[in-house]
Structure formats: structure tokens, C-alpha cells
Amino acid sequence: MPRAKKQTGGLFLGVSPWQDASKAQEEADVEPSDEQQPGCSVVELPLVVGAAAAAAAPAAGPASMPIDSKLAAAPAAPAAAPSGGWQAKKRKPAADEAQASGAMAAEPGGSSCPLATHPSAGAAGGEQPPAEPAPLELEGTAYLALLPNGSITGHLVCPPSIFRPGRRSFGLMAEAVLAGRECTRDADWGVLRLTLINFSPPPAGAAGQPAGGDPGAAAAGGGGGAAGARAGAGARGGPAEVSLLVERTEGDAMRLRAPVPWQGIELESLPELDAPCTCASSAPGLSLDFRCQQLMEGPAADALLGRLQPSLVFVPPATSLPFEPTPSAAMSLSARLSLLCLTVLLAGGAAQAACPFAALARGAGSSSPHSRKLAQTGFNPQLFQPPNVPVDPVLPGQNTNPRCIGGTIENLGALGAWKQNAVDAIVKSIAKEVIWYSADPKFPGTGGPGAPNPTVPMGGLLRAAFHECGTYDRQARTGGCNGSFRFEFNDIVNQDLLNPNFFFVDKLITRWRAEINRRLALNKAVPAGTKISWADTTVLAGASAVIATGGPVTLWDKLKLGRADWATRADNTLRLPIRILTFNGVACTFLNMGFTLQDLVVLSAGHTLGFADGGKMTADPSKFLGWDYFQLVQGRVALFPTDNALYNFRTRPLVDRWASPASKQDFFAAFEQSYIKMTALNVVWRNYPQPAEFLFFQPSFIT
Ligand code: HEM
């Protein structure tokens, strides 16, 4: 350890913009050297070149695509690396490694993409067909901070040792573009915009002697050796970088891959790459595998992070949460710091001239925004923004649904501060007359095509409440019961062309709200200007539909009033579920709204009511029974795939539990609970001080 400190602290810090030079000694103190971390064997390893790095045939590339002469000089390997797909990490014997490293250091020719090694690079003459490119493997140690918003920042250093001359170091910054959770595997998932920056030190001399005489430096860092000196500004000291989208899987044992196997993610909603990886038409681009050796959290992580990247800790709370009334909503700013052993697997294809990794490896000069940003070493507030927060208004076609974050609703704390008052009692009683009785099936109108009177679509009212509130996104903390449903009625999910009933809903809610407000204005006991909000009206309408069709009557009393309205649209309605989702899809959608799996099952039973596609949801769609719906799910003959998907091993017990008339009251109790939760999603309760410009509500109503 002392040896390491002496030799390398300054050198290392001198090339990494993440490192404050004054922290050199501190970093050396905490950096796990090979002695410190016997379990992290990769720290010891020199560059590992893929087995096929010296395959037989030369690329015979044209002048415009010079053969990597490092590779040309590399020793022959017995077999080409497998083509296509992701190749497993494969280590060479130490002797081969040394040979390969030495050969690469002695390269005579130009370098097109040294990191994306071309195994055939001229080693054995031009007669043989080009072999598949081999992956180049680098192993080393990474210090990564996993930031609360899903972004990652840190650096990785490849052997022989970060404290010895000749090491290769890369900066790594990944901003979350999409984040989610694979519910069924309980694993994090996401798409990151990854920037890798080559901070490998320039060669000690222009002649290409690697710093400290370590041959490996020339081979992999790209900044060393003749190729590095010739290739670009990076070799002369400027960082080089590539930026691309990667998929992140496997949680703390992280795997980053590019290109991203998109799995249904809409590409057009993602930002473009600075330098799209066009290594080869079909070749894999990049795979980074991290195996966590030591995970630190909380104060210990903060302490270490404070030494490595001081600007990332003790950050004041984000100021972009003006609508969050509850302290629980405050983002935890305690970053997690991971000490990780690293495997980098870079694979390139034939068209390596176009490969951005070539620039990275050569150290070609770069002054992109990323470099500049990082070079400042200051805190980047962007890193703490929730990723991909939907803009307002949400653009059609933009799907920012991160699918699943998991967990439970955060915002119910707001209810705790609610003070029921006389005004609310009056508003409720008026609303009862106006809405409840209008919705009563004894009165004209029971809804739905084919129903006796379609003027009061009971199912449509319940569904409206769901569509008002179910736009909440736990991660972005936008959407929810905010009264903006009235601006979103023409969105795709609300345009049920096959269900004309749904179009009555907006008119009914508008009419009912106007009538309630008219009566409130006449009521002397109510302060002037008191109005019921759109959000309150909508959730009361949904409850009325439930009650009037035989559902739990006590739901009415349990509902609190006081939801503030947004004056503009505020939701991404594409977060609402669609009928063709798999279980995982619909589960993630609901978990991302802050619901539990039980909420999913319970609320889905809203399909005990109403009509769709011109047909009935259940045998008697004007009765809120619940068990009839669950019996359909049991037989997998409910109307939508999302319904039948509930008869899956995780939620089947609940379906079975409520599938008989005897369990009706049990189900009703659960429904009340979930409905109240649903109608509290991300609500700004008006008895909290709120910025008036965001509220539709009259200030006089604020208690
Ligand atoms: C689980 C995910 C859900 C999906 C995929 C889904 C999808 C749909 C679809 C496609 C329709 C038919 C629209 C049409 O007429 O074309 C519908 C109707 C309906 N949905 Fe859902 N829904 C879901 C959850 C819910 C929830 C949570 C509720 C309420 C708590 C609800 C209440 C209703 C009602 C009452 C109708 C009938 C509307 C009417 O009669 O006009 N749905 N749903």
C-alpha cells in the first residue's frame, strides 16, 4: 500500500477530471489495492486480450480502414472468437497475456479501433479470410456511485494497478434515461446514456514508450504507445470519449450492454447518441460487467464518496418538487457507493473504422459537453433530476412509462393532516344529491350500449376515476388525482371508440360539478367562492357508481375531499394500462403507480361493472358484485388479457379468495381501501399551502 501511494497518486489524479488533485493521497488511502482486496483478483491482472486477438487472417483493409497493427503483431490464437451475441468473459493464461501485451505495445502501424480488436489484423498475410473480431477484455477496479435517480458516476482503472505506471483509466458517467424494475425477477432495469472517457495517461515520451515502461498501457489505454501518440489529441493529454445508450440489468451486479435490446421501448422517445456505435453492422458493441465486491451505503458510503467525488455528497435537496406536500417525498440524497471489480468486454466488428471505440482507444481529442462538464468536477444538478420527466403537455406517442419501480404509495401522509370540516360536510351532502342520486340505477340511466338507458354510464364513471388518478408515476412524481382528466379526454387511452358511453362521462362530470357549485354559491353556510374541485367531483362520481350499483356504501363517507386541480393538463395518460399487457406489464404499471399487487387485483375488479367493445364485462354489468368478475378470471374468460393474467401464481390466491358471493364483504373492504388509495395518488390537498398559480382552486377554500 505505501508503495502504491508513492508511485501513483498524483499521476492518476492528474488525468481524471473526477479527481481533485488535492485528494490524491486520500484516494490512495481508500483505494483497494491488490493487497487490500484479495478477493478482487482482477486488480492484479494485466490486460487480457481475447482469445482470438491474434487470429490467422489479416483484415486486408483499405487505406481508409487501416489495420490495427498492434493486433497485427499479436500472437496467433487457436480460434476465432464466437461471432454475434454477447461473449462471455474469457481469460487468457498469464503467459499469453504478457505476450499479447508486449506485442501490442510494439505495434508498427495505424490504429483504427484498438479496443475493438480485430483478430485478423494482418498477422498472417492476406490470403486467409478475415476472422471474426475478438473481444478485448479489460479487468480492473471500478469505483461507482449509484445515484438515487438511477444514474451512475465513477471511474474504472485497469491493471497492472492504479498506483503503478501504465495503468489505464476510464471515466464512466451514465445518466438514466429510463428506469424500471422487472417485477417478476425483482431486479432493476434501465436504459442509461453511458459516456466512457479515456483518461489513460499519455506516453512518457513522444516516441511511444508507455509510461513507466508498462507495455499493457500502450495496448489498452490507447493513450500509450506509438499508436496513441499518433492517433489523436487524447494521446497528447485530452480525454477521448464515446457516448452511447446501454441497457442496465442485474442490479448491483450490474451489466451494461449496448446496443440495447429494446424490448418494446420506443426508440423515438429516447435521445440520440452523440456517437452511435456503428462498430459493425451486426457486431455487438459493448458489454460492461460489474461484480460487486463491496457495497457501501449510508454514512460509510457518503464518507468514502466524499473523498473520491466530494461534489456528489451533501447536496441540498432538489428544488424541483414544488408539488410534493409530504416530507416522505423528498428524495434520499444519500448516494450509494460501490466498490466493484470490473470486467470490460469490448467487441468490434469488421467496419471498425466507424467504431467510436476506436476514438476512445486512440485517445482522439474530444471536447464534448460531457468532457467539459466532468472537467469542471463540480456537482452536476442534472444528475439528480428524475430521469425523463414527462413534459407538460405530454407529446402524443411519448411513452415514458418506466414500467415498474415497485413499492407502495408515498403520498398518503397528506391524508393524515386532513381536517374534516363543516364545509366539506356540506359539499358532500350536496354532491350526494347531485351525483349519487343521479347515478342511482333506480333513476333513468344505467349505462352502456344495450343497457336500458345509456345516459348515466356507471362503468364509465368508475373508469373515469381510475383514469383521473392512475396516471401517477412514482418515480417522476407526476400525474395522479389532479383534476387534469378534463384536459386529457381526447388522449388515446380515453378515446374508447367502441364505447360511446365513455364520452358521456366528461359531460356528466362537468354538469354535476356546475350544479354542485351553483348550490354551494346559494348556501349561506359556505364561504363565498367555495367550489368543488374537478378531481373531487370525479372521484365522488366513481364512488357513486360503485355505491349505486350495490358496492360498499361506506366508501362515500370514507372519501376525503380537498383535492386541488391543475389548471393545465399534467399527466402522461400513456401510463395507464392497456388491455394486452402481460401480468408483468400490468403489475409493473400498477406498482409504478404506487399500488401493491393486492391493489391491482382489487381495482381490476372494477371490471365487474360496465361494458367494453359493445359487450358486457360480466353477466350483469350493472351490479357491483366483484365475485362474478373473479369467477370469470378463474376460468380465464374475463374480457381482457390483463384480467385473465391475474390468475397467475402470484395473485391467484386473491382471485380465489374473492370468487364467491360469500366473500363479498371481504372484497368490499379491500376495494374501499384500494379506491381510497387510488384517489389519493399524488394529491395536493388544499389544506397545504400551495403555490396559487398551480391551483385551480379558489384560495378562499383553503382551510
Ligand atoms: C388492470 C388494468 C386495466 C386495463 C388494461 C383496463 C382496460 C379497460 C378497457 C380496455 C376498457 C374498455 C374500454 C372500451 O370500452 O373500449 C375498460 C373498461 C372499464 N374499466 Fe378498465 N382497465 C383496467 C383497470 C381498471 C380499473 C383499475 C378500474 C377501476 C377501478 C377499471 C374500470 C373499468 C370500467 C368500470 C370499465 C367499463 C367502462 C364502461 O362501462 O363504459 N378498469 N377497461
Side-chain angles (χ1 to χ4, degrees), residues 448 457-460 462-463 466-467 496-499 501-502 577-581 586 590 600 603-607 609-614 617 640 642-643 671 675 678:
M458 311 297 269
L462 176 57
R463 189 165 182 239
F466 175 51
H467 282 213
D496 289 316
L497 299 175
L498 294 173
N499 186 356
N501 262 352
F502 204 49
I578 53 171
R579 64 178 82 186
I580 56 168
L581 292 175
V586 74
F590 270 66
L600 165 66
L603 291 172
S604 294
H607 289 172
L609 277 189
F611 298 79
D613 302 351
M617 287 285 197
F640 301 136
T642 45
D643 297 321
F671 186 86
Y675 188 85
M678 179 181 97

Side-chain angles (χ1 to χ4, degrees), residues 147-430:
L147 302 180
N149 65 351
S151 297
I152 300 167
T153 178
H155 63 269
L156 54 99
V157 181
C158 300
S161 159
I162 62 167
F163 302 120
R164 292 179 203 148
R167 84 279 180 275
R168 299 157 291 271
S169 69
F170 298 87
L172 185 151
M173 186 178 79
E175 291 172 82
V177 175
L178 291 175
R181 191 157 182 79
E182 290 185 55
C183 298
T184 48
R185 288 199 288 149
D186 197 30
D188 287 336
W189 172 91
V191 175
L192 301 164
R193 179 192 183 84
L194 171 73
T195 301
L196 267 175
I197 305 176
N198 185 3
F199 295 127
S200 298
Q209 282 300 313
D214 184 288
R230 189 175 44 253
R236 294 184 290 274
E241 68 180 53
V242 291
S243 185
L244 66 166
L245 291 180
V246 296
E247 185 194 47
R248 171 188 168 176
T249 55
E250 298 187 17
D252 290 332
M254 213 167 20
R255 173 164 296 170
L256 304 179
R257 286 177 176 177
V260 176
W262 287 104
Q263 299 177 335
I265 299 296
E266 292 171 15
L267 275 171
E268 61 272 18
S269 70
L270 297 169
E272 290 194 353
L273 304 180
D274 282 343
C277 179
T278 52
C279 281
S281 51
S282 61
L286 169 71
S287 172
L288 299 170
D289 279 292
F290 300 94
R291 291 288 168 265
C292 181
Q293 296 294 302
Q294 184 185 351
L295 183 65
M296 300 175 72
E297 284 187 87
D302 284 343
L304 183 51
L305 190 59
R307 304 170 85 176
L308 295 177
Q309 294 184 257
S311 57
L312 283 179
V313 287
F314 309 124
V315 178
T319 54
S320 60
L321 306 171
F323 308 129
E324 283 295 337
T326 56
S328 65
M331 184 188 280
S332 161
L333 291 173
S334 169
R336 289 194 298 158
L337 181 72
S338 304
L339 299 182
L340 301 160
C341 288
L342 165 78
T343 296
V344 184
L345 175 60
L346 291 166
Q352 292 177 10
C355 174
F357 303 133
L360 175 66
R362 286 195 306 266
S366 166
S367 61
S368 77
H370 285 296
S371 301
R372 286 196 295 271
K373 197 160 58 179
L374 287 170
Q376 291 163 2
T377 69
F379 168 65
N380 171 17
Q382 277 303 116
L383 290 176
F384 284 89
Q385 297 301 322
N388 218 25
V389 177
V391 291
D392 180 14
V394 176
L395 300 172
Q398 181 188 13
N399 186 356
T400 55
N401 186 350
R403 306 217 288 195
C404 176
I405 304 301
T408 52
I409 178 174
E410 295 168 318
N411 222 8
L412 277 179
L415 282 177
W418 175 252
K419 293 190 274 317
Q420 187 77 32
N421 60 44
V423 175
D424 286 318
I426 295 169
V427 174
K428 261 198 171 178
S429 74
I430 293 176

Side-chain angles (χ1 to χ4, degrees), residues 68-88:
D68 183 343
S69 54
K70 290 178 183 176
L71 297 168
S83 65
W86 299 106
Q87 301 177 47

